[in-house]
Amino acid sequence: MTLSFSVLGSGSAGNCTVVSLHGSGEPVHILIDAGLSPRATAKRMLPLGLTLDDISHILLTHLDRDHFYPSWVNAVSKHDITLHAHMRQRARAVSCGIDFKHCELCNGHIELDSETHVQTIPLAHDELGTVGFVLEHSGTRFGFATDLGRVSALLLEQFDNLHGLAIESNYDRQMQLASPRPGYLKQRIMGGKGHLSNDESLEAVLQIADQSALSQIALLHLSRQCNCPTLVTRLYADRARHLLDDLTVTSQYLATAMLPITSDRSGPLHPRQPQPAEQLRLF
Ligand SMILES: [Zn+2]
């Protein structure tokens, strides 16, 4: 195992994932997003044996409040952490008060160290967009994408030959439509620049699994009002049973265990059986 991760919390009240890289030297620990307060992040990392001083980098998908909690502006300086934000977020980073002594702006590729490379993938979300990542460490590839309005061809192209995947599964379409939310908000979420529904996410996961050798699949950012972990698990039981053993549905309130990503198996771990509709298309 060279790479493992724990989703410390995921949802509209704060997103944060810790990734541990076990290379040839001392392990390196990074965060993807910092939407929990530094204090809450430290508390949720404690059972993993980690403190904020163990974190060397934070990759930011974007700078909405649920992905970047304001007091990290001071915490990164105190704990000597380097932030990485996408160029398109520059003005937003300035308005958040981020000191560029502790923040590198990226556009494309980030080299964290000689064994760890990160590819950024621009994604549609609100006005400024967000970014997905493929984190590659000693040959192990981990794809991470949240708050994406739609699954683009570029994302599917980059999320190839992965060994681990974390992707949002934000809402159940029926629950969203039936919710008391105002129409403009439903439109913002469902209109291609908001979030992925469970069905949209599942379709992406199935395609990525077919072109990868996934040992972990984590579903992120479930809506508390318009989704339900049991519903999502049932969806996978019905339509992607071959992926259930590798599936983790993450929570806003509880950190997942440290999930190890293995890269020693080649090809899709559990080749998917054609679904009835696909079988029909074959003829
Ligand atoms: Zn979010």
Side-chain angles (χ1 to χ4, degrees), residues 91-275:
R92 186 68 181 270
V94 170
S95 67
C96 287
I98 288 173
D99 182 343
F100 285 94
K101 273 194 303 205
H102 304 288
C103 181
E104 292 181 6
L105 295 172
C106 59
N107 183 14
H109 189 258
I110 307 167
E111 190 156 341
L112 292 186
D113 59 46
S114 61
E115 294 174 290
T116 314
H117 313 277
V118 182
Q119 185 66 41
T120 63
I121 305 156
L123 302 169
H125 182 65
D126 293 338
E127 291 311 310
L128 288 175
T130 179
V131 289
F133 301 111
V134 175
L135 211 152
E136 183 163 347
H137 176 72
S138 301
T140 301
R141 285 166 57 81
F142 177 38
F144 189 102
T146 190
D147 299 60
L148 55 159
R150 60 189 174 78
V151 178
S152 64
L154 178 64
L155 182 77
L156 292 173
E157 187 184 303
Q158 297 286 337
F159 276 17
D160 186 39
N161 286 313
L162 298 182
H163 304 102
L165 171 67
I167 189 166
E168 82 165 331
S169 188
N170 183 254
Y171 66 91
D172 171 75
R173 187 174 162 78
Q174 296 308 322
M175 289 176 76
Q176 184 77 253
L177 291 171
S179 77
R181 292 174 163 178
Y184 78 86
L185 183 57
K186 292 180 188 177
Q187 179 56 30
R188 192 203 130 221
I189 292 166
M190 302 171 75
K193 292 178 83 177
H195 292 279
L196 288 189
S197 71
N198 292 337
D199 286 327
E200 291 167 333
S201 176
L202 172 63
E203 283 306 314
V205 170
L206 286 169
Q207 180 159 343
I208 294 161
D210 275 355
Q211 60 196 33
S212 296
L214 297 176
S215 61
Q216 297 288 350
I217 301 166
L219 300 181
L220 305 169
H221 219 306
L222 271 70
S223 164
R224 280 171 289 173
Q225 191 177 21
C226 299
N227 212 345
C228 166
T230 310
L231 193 72
V232 175
T233 308
R234 204 183 308 142
L235 181 69
Y236 276 73
D238 288 346
R239 293 180 49 196
R241 182 167 285 278
H242 59 295
L243 301 178
L244 265 183
D245 287 349
D246 305 320
L247 189 73
T248 301
V249 180
T250 67
S251 154
Q252 180 70 85
Y253 306 104
L254 293 172
T256 68
M258 196 49 111
L259 303 169
I261 296 178
T262 53
S263 59
D264 52 357
R265 288 174 277 187
S266 61
L269 292 177
H270 313 285
R272 180 163 61 118
Q273 296 299 315
Q275 301 294 303

Side-chain angles (χ1 to χ4, degrees), residues 15 62 66-67 147 195 221:
N15 293 273
H62 60 309
D66 60 321
H67 296 262
D147 299 60
H195 292 279
H221 219 306

